[in-house]
Amino acid sequence: MKLDQLSGKGIFSCKECLYRFNEHTHLSTAAEIESKNFNGQHGRACLFKNAVNVGASQPEERIMTTGLHTVRDIWCVRCKITLGWKYDAAYEVNQKYKEGKFIIENALRDHTAPVWPPFAPPAANTASRSLHTLASSVRSTLGNSFTSTACPSFFQNFLADPTFIACAPFSLLLSTSSAFFTAEKSPTVLLPYVLDATCAPAADTCQATMDALATEVRLESTCGKDLALGNALAVEALMGFQNYALMRQAGCQKSNTTGQYCFAEATAQASPSEQYFYFLPTGISLPSGTITTCGGCTQNLMATFATYATNASLSISKTYAAARVAVSTTCGPTFAPVIATAVLSSAPPPYPHVPLGALLLSTAAFLATLL
């Protein structure tokens, strides 16, 4: 494939191509930027006068925040990832300047030299918006989901706490965030930024925060009564607090071969089998017929789970043994550690597990507005 090569300073390239092929597929230059004040699906974006090495879809009319436009989605001709869109026509007089120009999202391109301050990592936006919207779902379901206003108030307080938000807990994002689900659809571009935000904060500080919240959520003055009744939001929150250390280790593991996040690589695979393992700590067993590739990432993940599976207050204690049997059938008896019988820690035993689907159904209408 013959690609256009640009010259000069401030050349922008496709980030997906750099990640997958270690190749710079040029897209445009800093000199072609007309405006930096645009937003795309993954955060901030720029309007470029010209772009190279992009393909375009058939034109279609879309109503945007600035009115009706005729646009085409554009993608990288090498890796085929969607980069943004091209304006064919604008129907408002003050929007005519966009015609024939290209929107390319900041999160999907790389540059050879910084020509403006780096965009805010989409991870931070994804995490904070997810948690903020979860607070909205609590308020909206107050009438028929909680026994009183005490538990929703607890949610609103901790979800607004900057210390909690900065931790971006993988244990809660994985099970409650539709924005995180959207990030999973971009496993080589957006998802690694989200995982960076999860893995960067000080583990000790975040663990102390989660431990305090796990204690507080059980109090009668907060969510104790709702937990006893199996309220989906309360149970998932408690599980997320309890699983923080385990899920941080699981989500932050990187491949010994590629140096990339194992979770991102599992998400990128055509089969979801490797991704199923990450839901074991939430009390969800491996689906029947799950076949692992017996890779280093899964082996390290099972070793991590084994260190927590002896604690009967964690849901992994109930799912690890069956998962170990399943992988041993394919990968051999020494692939995953044998563990002793689970024993209770000093923490109270977990409340009955509420299926993940129950929480997602109760919050889907609100979380769907995240992106």
Side-chain angles (χ1 to χ4, degrees):
M1 178 187 301
K2 182 176 176 57
L3 300 174
D4 291 327
Q5 297 295 313
L6 302 174
S7 59
K9 296 181 179 180
I11 297 174
F12 295 94
S13 302
C14 173
K15 186 173 289 185
E16 181 82 355
C17 289
L18 185 62
Y19 182 95
R20 289 170 56 185
F21 313 123
N22 197 29
E23 295 283 351
H24 290 278
T25 304
H26 292 175
L27 300 174
S28 195
T29 68
E32 296 291 341
I33 295 175
E34 179 155 329
S35 174
K36 304 171 188 176
N37 298 320
F38 283 78
N39 291 300
Q41 182 179 0
H42 303 306
R44 302 296 290 171
C46 289
L47 180 69
F48 289 84
K49 300 170 189 172
N50 293 290
V52 299
N53 300 321
V54 296
S57 67
Q58 292 298 311
E60 62 179 49
E61 291 187 344
R62 292 181 193 167
I63 299 177
M64 298 179 166
T65 57
T66 52
L68 179 65
H69 296 76
T70 300
V71 300
R72 304 170 186 257
D73 288 331
I74 60 170
W75 61 81
C76 170
V77 295
R78 174 179 267 153
C79 70
K80 309 305 181 186
I81 191 171
T82 299
L83 298 165
W85 61 89
K86 178 183 179 181
Y87 291 103
D88 275 8
Y91 300 99
E92 301 290 339
V93 174
N94 63 350
Q95 300 301 312
K96 288 287 186 181
Y97 74 96
K98 300 176 185 175
E99 292 182 344
K101 296 169 186 175
F102 302 79
I103 290 291
I104 300 178
E105 300 200 39
N106 295 4
L108 304 178
R109 54 173 171 72
D110 194 20
H111 52 85
T112 57
V115 295
W116 67 77
F119 60 90
N125 295 335
T126 299
S128 62
R129 283 183 294 168
S130 301
L131 301 172
H132 172 76
T133 309
L134 184 57
S136 298
S137 74
V138 172
R139 289 192 296 271
S140 300
T141 57
L142 189 151
N144 53 19
S145 292
F146 295 99
T147 59
S148 71
T149 60
C151 193
S153 294
F154 168 75
F155 270 78
Q156 291 167 17
N157 289 336
F158 85 76
L159 289 170
D161 182 358
T163 302
F164 174 80
I165 293 172
C167 291
F170 183 66
S171 54
L172 284 168
L173 292 176
L174 181 67
S175 63
T176 65
S177 170
S178 65
F180 187 80
F181 176 74
T182 298
E184 291 179 79
K185 296 178 181 179
S186 179
T188 60
V189 179
L190 183 58
L191 185 57
Y193 282 100
V194 179
L195 295 174
D196 282 345
T198 288
C199 304
D204 291 345
T205 300
C206 290
Q207 184 62 63
T209 298
M210 301 304 157
D211 288 344
L213 289 170
T215 298
E216 188 178 355
V217 73
R218 298 189 189 94
L219 299 176
E220 289 294 306
S221 59
T222 57
C223 299
K225 294 178 181 179
D226 295 284
L227 283 168
L229 294 173
N231 178 279
L233 286 169
V235 171
E236 289 289 344
L238 173 59
M239 186 180 298
F241 301 149
Q242 291 177 322
N243 280 336
Y244 175 76
L246 163 58
M247 293 300 283
R248 178 183 170 119
Q249 290 184 42
C252 297
Q253 284 182 351
K254 292 188 175 183
S255 167
N256 295 331
T257 303
T258 66
Q260 306 301 325
Y261 286 110
C262 289
F263 179 75
E265 291 192 343
T267 304
Q269 293 184 15
S271 168
S273 289
E274 302 297 339
Q275 201 174 8
Y276 290 149
F277 286 87
Y278 290 88
F279 289 92
L280 291 172
T282 70
I284 300 175
S285 300
L286 293 178
S288 177
T290 298
I291 300 177
T292 177
T293 58
C294 303
C297 278
T298 302
Q299 187 169 31
N300 291 338
L301 187 64
M302 290 297 287
T304 297
F305 289 166
T307 63
Y308 291 87
T310 56
N311 182 350
S313 68
L314 299 178
S315 294
I316 189 64
S317 66
K318 299 173 177 58
T319 57
Y320 177 81
R324 184 194 171 278
V325 171
V327 298
S328 296
T329 301
T330 305
C331 308
T334 61
F335 185 79
V338 178
I339 62 168
T341 302
V343 296
L344 284 174
S345 69
S346 58
Y351 290 85
H353 176 65
V354 176
L356 180 63
L359 176 64
L360 295 180
L361 286 174
S362 67
T363 61
F366 307 97
L367 292 174
T369 65
L370 287 173
L371 291 178

